[in-house]
Amino acid sequence: MYKNKAQNGSNNICGAKIKELRQNLPQKTSQRRFADILTLEGLDLDKNAIQRIESGQRFVTDIELKTIARILHVSCDELVNEDS
């Protein structure tokens, strides 16, 4: 049987890394500001979606992952690599 959950039970494996990188951006970047930045890049996510991604409650599409990685100046691999 297939499971669409990470080993820890969350709906994604990138949320914690996204949160860590967002919080370490040079300018203070809240979830709302991050959502605004993503919207300017053509990705329609609101603050609640960012919160749900970071907490592992929401799945992340490949399109979203690619844009988020670009904004955070990392590779998609870095976001999904649980060892880093």
Side-chain angles (χ1 to χ4, degrees), residues 25-73:
L25 287 172
Q27 294 182 338
K28 183 177 179 183
T29 305
S30 66
Q31 291 173 336
R32 183 174 307 282
R33 177 160 166 66
F34 191 57
D36 291 343
I37 292 167
L38 292 171
T39 298
L40 291 174
E41 292 295 315
L43 189 60
D44 188 22
L45 294 177
D46 64 9
K47 180 243 181 229
N48 293 328
I50 300 300
Q51 186 276 328
R52 293 186 71 221
I53 288 170
E54 290 182 352
S55 67
Q57 297 174 345
R58 183 183 180 281
F59 291 104
V60 180
T61 69
D62 55 353
I63 295 166
E64 293 167 342
L65 188 71
K66 186 176 176 181
T67 303
I68 290 168
R70 187 175 71 243
I71 297 304
L72 294 173
H73 307 290

